[in-house]
Amino acid sequence: MATHIFSEIAADGIATLTWNCPGNTPNVFNDLSLGEFFAATRELLSDPAVKGIIIASAKSDFIVGADLGMLLAARKTTKAQFFDGVQRLQASFREIETGGKPVVAAINGTAVGGGFELAMACHARVVADDPALRLGLPECSLGLLPGAGGTQRMPRLIGAREAIGLITQGKTIPARKALDLGLITEIVPRDQLLERANQLVRTIEPIQPWDKKGFRLPGGEVHSPAGAETFTGANAMMARETWGNYLAPRLATYAIYHGLQMPIEAGCKVEARGFVELVFSPLSQSMMRTLFFSMSE
């Protein structure tokens, strides 16, 4: 069986987990890569000799999300089985956040979908200075919504207004825009990426903002005047642009709205229900199948 994840622990206790899916394919989430990744992270988080973890990529891109073939095959299982799998993925990301050791994503290239969801679960994100690099959550453009906590972490980082726009429109953005919004920590020259990640992992606090006592949602809480304006405007925009024909933006907004009023674990569960509903919907399956076959040609 080919190895997808390579782990190395330096003498000073800093571990580097490097994604390198076999062959010429980009790094993607599939059963094998995720299984190896989560086994490796659990081992490192439980090892007292490990002081911090860097997540990196040996490919030209970081991680480009879920394997579409895996999502197309989801209908061979039941919704309940698939829901359990999504929740295991979300719980594993929470282990990274709450494991007590700083974790830094060293983003050398494009990180979208699940790849950027993983990056947001890290305590810092340092990105190579490359104008071609893209970041974001494009799932709604495939008839889906983010399923690994993206609808919960992005608004907790940058506020509901900006997050709704990016998520429901499936936008990906350059690193400079992501830095301005507060989605990433730093941009550095490519040849300094791992060096800076090593510096950060020694200095950052291993806790997410939303796990700190007194955390307040950027831009205003859901039921504040600003929040009411945000969600009213989002619903009106979706009705105008989609005529109610596309379920993904509506379910993504639903997950954001309700999830931000709950602890993040409960919010992720709301997200998971919407994700499963969309993965099993005929429209989303058709959209994914069209993209899958066009990429295979």
Side-chain angles (χ1 to χ4, degrees):
M1 183 184 298
T3 302
H4 295 69
I5 309 295
F6 296 86
S7 176
E8 181 180 5
I9 305 175
D12 60 1
I14 302 302
T16 302
L17 283 181
T18 303
W19 280 70
N20 191 13
C21 289
N24 296 320
T25 58
N27 290 326
V28 294
F29 285 2
N30 58 35
D31 292 337
L32 291 175
S33 63
L34 286 174
E36 288 184 23
F37 177 71
F38 292 130
T41 54
R42 288 189 188 106
E43 182 177 346
L44 294 175
L45 288 171
S46 63
D47 185 344
V50 173
K51 307 305 179 186
I53 302 169
I54 297 169
I55 300 174
S57 166
K59 302 282 189 180
S60 58
D61 288 323
F62 185 66
I63 305 167
V64 298
D67 184 335
L68 288 179
M70 178 181 69
L71 295 179
L72 286 168
R75 295 183 76 178
K76 296 179 182 178
T77 67
T78 67
K79 283 187 176 181
Q81 289 170 326
F82 190 70
F83 178 75
D84 288 343
V86 174
Q87 286 211 287
R88 285 194 296 273
L89 170 62
Q90 294 177 338
S92 295
F93 279 16
R94 280 298 281 162
E95 288 178 19
I96 292 171
E97 291 187 313
T98 61
K101 296 180 180 181
V103 184
V104 174
I107 303 174
N108 63 312
T110 289
V112 292
F116 195 60
E117 289 180 281
L118 170 58
M120 288 191 292
C122 297
H123 302 106
R125 291 156 292 284
V126 58
V127 181
D129 190 0
D130 180 351
L133 184 153
R134 306 294 289 183
L135 305 168
L137 303 174
E139 286 89 343
C140 279
S141 64
L142 299 175
L144 300 173
L145 57 76
T151 67
Q152 302 306 301
R153 291 186 178 89
M154 184 176 280
R156 283 172 168 83
L157 282 169
I158 64 173
R161 181 187 295 275
E162 294 286 355
I164 289 172
L166 292 175
I167 291 172
T168 61
Q169 296 176 47
K171 288 183 177 180
T172 60
I173 57 176
R176 292 288 171 187
K177 175 67 172 176
L179 182 65
D180 290 343
L181 288 173
L183 281 173
I184 61 175
T185 309
E186 290 183 14
I187 300 173
V188 299
R190 181 176 298 279
D191 60 359
Q192 298 176 23
L193 181 66
L194 289 177
E195 178 185 355
R196 183 56 182 147
N198 267 278
Q199 293 170 348
L200 279 174
V201 82
R202 290 173 169 82
T203 59
I204 59 172
E205 191 178 8
I207 186 172
Q208 294 284 28
W210 44 89
D211 288 323
K212 295 179 180 179
K213 186 176 181 180
F215 170 74
R216 304 295 292 176
L217 187 68
E221 301 296 327
V222 169
H223 292 298
S224 69
E229 181 182 351
T230 291
F231 286 97
T232 301
N235 288 328
M237 180 191 69
M238 281 185 289
R240 182 176 65 250
E241 294 185 356
T242 71
W243 293 81
N245 292 322
Y246 295 99
L247 186 57
R250 184 149 46 94
L251 286 182
T253 304
Y254 179 93
I256 295 169
Y257 177 80
H258 289 282
L260 292 180
Q261 300 176 66
M262 308 173 179
I264 193 167
E265 291 88 353
C268 284
K269 190 171 185 178
V270 175
E271 174 190 274
R273 291 195 189 101
F275 182 69
V276 172
E277 189 67 29
L278 290 168
V279 167
F280 279 77
S281 75
L283 176 59
S284 298
Q285 286 275 319
S286 177
M287 293 174 70
M288 287 189 289
R289 191 172 292 110
T290 299
L291 180 60
F292 180 77
F293 286 124
S294 68
M295 294 171 63
S296 302
E297 291 176 352

